[in-house]
Amino acid sequence: MRILVIGATGTIGQAIVQALEGRHEVLKAARSHGTHPVDITSKDSLLKLFRSVGPVDALISATGSAAFKPLTQLGDEDFQFSLSNKLMGQVNVARLGLEHVRDGGSITLTSGVLAQEPMPGTSAIALVNAALEGFTRAAALEMPRGVRINVVSPPWVNETLQALGMKGVPGMPAVQVARAYVESVEGKGNGQVLDARKFA
């Protein structure tokens, strides 16, 4: 398969690329340091990416940011950032990328465990994660040409926890998280929320 990974230089993205390379042709896109530059908050940037890459069998989004602050400190700009980046950025990956996915192909987005298991400081993140999961379930009902769409819900990733100095929070290695993305691409599921912890 010809697979485009957006966010290919991130912690999870690198693990996804490693898991898929060898069996598939993997195209790497990222905001910085990727073979194909892209900014998911810009529709023009996404359209330019899809046109330059051409048809693909699978499209994976392993990117998107949201504000991590206590509720009382979240301002309008924090919510707007979260909505325009991780939520609408990925929704637009699916919307604009759909016509570039071949018949019977797949789209995979990324939400996160905080949609179901929030912790203090994650109101904005939980909001966009839950919205992405709702979008995926509904969009799956209308996918044309046999295209499937799923969303992977990763837990905290060990590498990220270490970088943030967050001790005592359970996590998973990125290499294990990547298995859920492989299942989304190579499996038959549609409209599913894939809890990456089940693939450990």
Side-chain angles (χ1 to χ4, degrees):
M1 281 189 277
R2 195 165 190 262
I3 303 170
L4 174 60
V5 179
I6 300 177
T9 61
T11 302
I12 293 176
Q14 291 182 62
I16 294 169
V17 169
Q18 185 179 9
L20 293 169
E21 276 185 332
R23 298 194 310 281
H24 306 288
E25 178 189 357
V26 181
L27 307 168
K28 305 167 194 173
R31 186 166 186 140
S32 58
H33 309 301
T35 307
H36 302 279
V38 67
D39 175 2
I40 66 166
T41 67
S42 165
K43 289 175 67 175
D44 288 342
S45 179
L46 284 168
L47 288 170
K48 183 178 179 181
L49 169 69
F50 295 136
R51 288 172 188 146
S52 68
V53 166
V56 295
D57 298 293
L59 173 57
I60 297 174
S61 173
T63 188
S65 300
F68 190 177
K69 290 182 182 179
L71 179 61
T72 55
Q73 295 177 23
L74 284 168
D76 290 351
E77 66 281 1
D78 295 309
F79 280 105
Q80 188 57 54
F81 168 78
S82 304
L83 293 169
S84 63
N85 194 304
K86 187 169 186 179
L87 177 56
M88 284 310 301
Q90 291 197 87
V91 167
N92 284 334
V93 165
R95 290 173 58 227
L96 303 176
L98 177 58
E99 66 179 272
H100 301 275
V101 175
R102 293 181 177 131
D103 294 3
S106 69
I107 298 171
T108 305
L109 305 180
T110 299
S111 61
V113 69
L114 296 169
Q116 277 79 38
E117 300 171 19
M119 57 190 286
T122 62
S123 295
I125 303 173
L127 168 67
V128 297
N129 285 349
L132 283 163
E133 294 177 4
F135 167 77
T136 299
R137 292 188 184 100
L141 304 176
E142 302 181 61
M143 286 286 110
R145 302 179 286 104
V147 176
R148 302 177 296 106
I149 184 169
N150 298 298
V151 58
V152 172
S153 176
W156 285 100
V157 177
N158 285 351
E159 292 87 338
T160 302
L161 290 172
Q162 290 168 7
L164 295 174
M166 294 174 63
K167 298 179 180 179
V169 178
M172 270 177 69
V175 66
Q176 292 182 3
V177 172
R179 295 172 187 167
Y181 292 86
V182 174
E183 172 61 25
S184 179
V185 170
E186 297 181 347
K188 302 296 184 184
N190 187 31
Q192 294 185 349
V193 177
L194 300 171
D195 185 339
R197 294 173 296 186
K198 295 180 180 178
F199 295 84

